[in-house]
């Protein structure tokens, strides 16, 4: 039994279903996965279909966004391989290291610290930090490109043993890249 049918059973038992139960995730399941129309969903919650349409659009729950999500999450193997080959070509090492440095370091809290003159992080300090990060990341990317997994594992294990193992666990933060990619795909499709 799907979510829609569960709501129907509750409604047939004279239970009034509160619109607050219609979270973005529930709405996504009903509209995208179970393919229920705005009118069908509105009838469950005793609201006008325009209310459902508004909530869907407000939360980005559209067929178009669903197609883009599927495209991003189901990229064909040959496209993945082509991207891997392009990414790991020899002349990309500097570009990759710089991009990761910006993504993981420069475009984060250090930029605010650098902009605050009271923090005493000078332009020269930033250049030194950026160069250090780019060079170290280039080494790591090069290990990956050359598939030197033993060396990469040794670097990670030995570093973790002495530094950082007491830090908080990592939390995946795409820095808005998924949204950026979706927006670029939308523009491409137009």
């Amino acid at each position: 039994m799907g979510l829609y049918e569960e709501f129907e059973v509750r409604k047939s038992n004279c239970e009034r279903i509160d619109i607050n139960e219609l979270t973005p995730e529930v709405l996504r399941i009903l509209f995208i996965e179970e393919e229920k129309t705005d009118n069908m969903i509105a009838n469950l919650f005793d609201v006008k279909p325009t209310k459902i349409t508004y909530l869907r659009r407000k939360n980005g729950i559209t067929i178009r966004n669903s197609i883009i999500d599927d495209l991003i999450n189901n990229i064909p193997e040959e496209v993945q391989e082509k991207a891997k080959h392009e990414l790991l070509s020899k002349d990309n090492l500097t570009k990759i290291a710089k991009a990761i440095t910006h993504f993981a370091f420069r475009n984060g809290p250090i930029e605010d610290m650098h902009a605050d003159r009271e923090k005493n992080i000078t332009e020269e300090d930033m250049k030194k930090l950026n160069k250090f990060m780019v060079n170290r990341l280039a080494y790591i990317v090069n290990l990956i490109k050359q598939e030197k997994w033993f060396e990469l594992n040794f670097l990670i294990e030995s570093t973790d043993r002495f530094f950082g193992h007491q830090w908080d666990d990592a939390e995946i933060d795409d820095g808005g890249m998924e949204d950026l990619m979706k927006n670029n795909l939308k523009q491409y499709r137009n």
Side-chain angles (χ1 to χ4, degrees):
M1 177 177 351
L3 190 56
Y4 181 82
E5 287 76 20
E6 289 177 22
F7 280 121
E8 277 189 318
V9 167
R10 288 174 53 195
K11 188 165 183 158
S12 69
N13 290 331
C14 298
E15 182 180 339
R16 185 174 185 284
I17 304 169
D18 190 337
I19 190 72
N20 291 324
E21 290 186 55
L22 191 60
T23 64
E25 180 58 20
V26 168
L27 184 54
R28 188 193 64 73
I29 291 169
L30 291 172
F31 185 75
I32 300 297
E33 293 180 20
E34 297 186 8
E35 300 176 348
K36 303 305 178 193
T37 65
D38 289 351
N39 193 45
M40 294 170 76
I41 298 168
N43 286 336
L44 284 177
F45 293 92
D46 295 320
V47 297
K48 293 181 180 178
T50 54
K51 171 80 173 175
I52 302 303
T53 304
Y54 167 77
L55 289 173
R56 274 194 314 95
R57 290 184 178 154
K58 176 183 169 193
N59 291 290
I61 302 168
T62 64
I63 292 172
R64 181 181 188 163
N65 285 348
S66 173
I67 291 168
I68 290 170
D69 286 344
D70 284 346
L71 183 65
I72 289 171
N73 294 326
N74 298 303
I75 295 173
E77 186 63 33
E78 61 272 10
V79 174
Q80 292 283 16
E81 282 300 315
K82 183 178 182 215
K84 177 183 172 184
H85 176 73
E86 288 175 12
L87 182 66
L88 298 179
S89 67
K90 188 172 185 174
D91 58 348
N92 271 350
L93 189 60
T94 297
K95 185 192 317 184
I96 293 168
K98 286 180 179 179
I100 294 171
T101 298
H102 272 277
F103 179 76
F105 172 69
R106 180 63 196 244
N107 295 345
I110 192 70
E111 184 59 33
D112 294 334
M113 293 175 199
H114 177 238
D116 184 351
R117 293 295 169 215
E118 293 179 20
K119 299 286 185 188
N120 296 321
I121 298 176
T122 67
E123 199 62 37
E124 284 304 310
D125 291 337
M126 283 304 293
K127 285 180 183 178
K128 220 183 273 187
L129 288 167
N130 289 336
K131 181 69 173 154
F132 176 82
M133 290 288 294
V134 167
N135 292 349
R136 289 293 176 95
L137 286 170
Y139 172 72
I140 291 170
V141 171
N142 196 48
L143 290 176
I144 293 168
K145 284 174 52 173
Q146 295 180 9
E147 296 189 28
K148 293 186 174 182
W149 305 117
F150 181 82
E151 289 178 47
L152 181 60
N153 185 56
F154 178 80
L155 180 147
I156 291 168
E157 292 299 325
S158 61
T159 302
D160 182 64
R161 188 176 309 124
F162 299 109
F163 311 104
H165 62 275
Q166 74 280 5
W167 291 0
D168 293 342
D169 286 346
E171 296 175 16
I172 296 174
D173 177 4
D174 78 348
M177 292 308 294
E178 185 173 329
D179 289 339
L180 182 64
M181 188 167 41
K182 287 178 183 177
N183 287 334
N184 281 339
L185 283 171
K186 285 179 188 176
Q187 291 172 0
Y188 178 74
R189 292 181 59 91
N190 286 337

